Amino acid sequence: AQTVTQSQPEMSVQEAETVTLSCTYDTSESNYYLFWYKQPPSRQMILVIRQEAYKQQNATENRFSVNFQKAAKSFSLKISDSQLGDTAMYFCAFMRLNNAGNMLTFGGGTRLMVKP
Amino acid sequence: DGGITQSPKYLFRKEGQNVTLSCEQNLNHDAMYWYRQDPGQGLRLIYYSQIVNDFQKGDIAEGYSVSREKKESFPLTVTSAQKNPTAFYLCASKQRNYGYTFGSGTRLTVV
């Protein structure tokens, strides 16, 4: 079974600064996807960024980028130029390929507070 | 606009009562999922369905039941056998390997 660990329950950052959220996972699979989801106070889950394990290049989406270290099974999220609207819970998630159900396994989340 | 609609947004259940949470999608997605989220925690999989008339148990299926009679609909029933049902419930759908689209959730409270 896959496990996803987010070791930082809470973090804070000043507006306009950069913050990195950590995520590690455990799997014996070689083909999989990794995701970061954002859950603001509205509780809506929003996809932030996606990484295919077979790609060496780190994914980027505007101010959001990842540092994917496959050998270390690490998948951190960097948020640059933090904005007040980035305040939310952030969840790292793992999806195994060639899995009949393609279920997502989630980490426990990191609560990020962006301070003005 | 395509999306997933969950209803109701808030639901109250009395002890011993069954309640049903609705989840409807117009994205033409094949797979649908139900997750439970407890305060300050991640999401745990209750049930999932890949095609109509088929569904599988997730990690915490006890006390829950589902049906998938139509591609668009995947309702979740919280039965009286679920001893601690107070939680936030999220429905999601997926097409291929891109990732999930989530509904806005239902908060269930036992009164």
Side-chain angles (χ1 to χ4, degrees), chain B residues 19 22 42 66 76 86 108:
Chain B
V19 291
S22 172
V66 293
L76 174 74
T86 294
L108 173 63

Side-chain angles (χ1 to χ4, degrees), chain B residues 21-91:
Chain B
L21 284 60
S22 172
C23 178
E24 303 278 333
Q25 55 105 353
N26 60 3
L27 299 165
N28 199 34
H29 287 175
D30 293 317
M32 296 187 74
Y33 306 81
W34 274 106
Y35 282 85
R36 168 178 171 143
Q37 185 178 25
D38 291 286
Q41 298 186 28
L43 283 66
R44 293 183 291 168
L45 181 66
I46 305 172
Y47 267 99
Y48 68 97
S49 168
Q50 292 182 268
I51 56 173
V52 174
N53 293 322
D54 184 63
F55 47 83
Q56 304 296 327
K57 292 182 179 180
D59 300 321
I60 55 166
E62 186 175 352
Y64 300 97
S65 65
V66 293
S67 62
R68 188 85 185 276
E69 298 177 1
K70 300 186 300 182
K71 188 175 185 178
E72 302 80 14
S73 179
F74 191 42
L76 174 74
T77 297
V78 184
T79 75
S80 57
Q82 172 49 243
K83 298 306 178 187
N84 185 23
T86 294
F88 186 65
Y89 292 86
L90 280 162
C91 178

Side-chain angles (χ1 to χ4, degrees), chain A residues 33 35 39 43 100-101 104, chain B residues 33 35 50 97-98 100 107:
Chain A
Y33 287 173
F35 303 84
Q39 188 180 43
R43 312 276 322 244
L104 276 175
Chain B
Y33 306 81
Y35 282 85
Q50 292 182 268
N97 292 323
Y98 186 77
Y100 290 10
R107 179 179 295 280

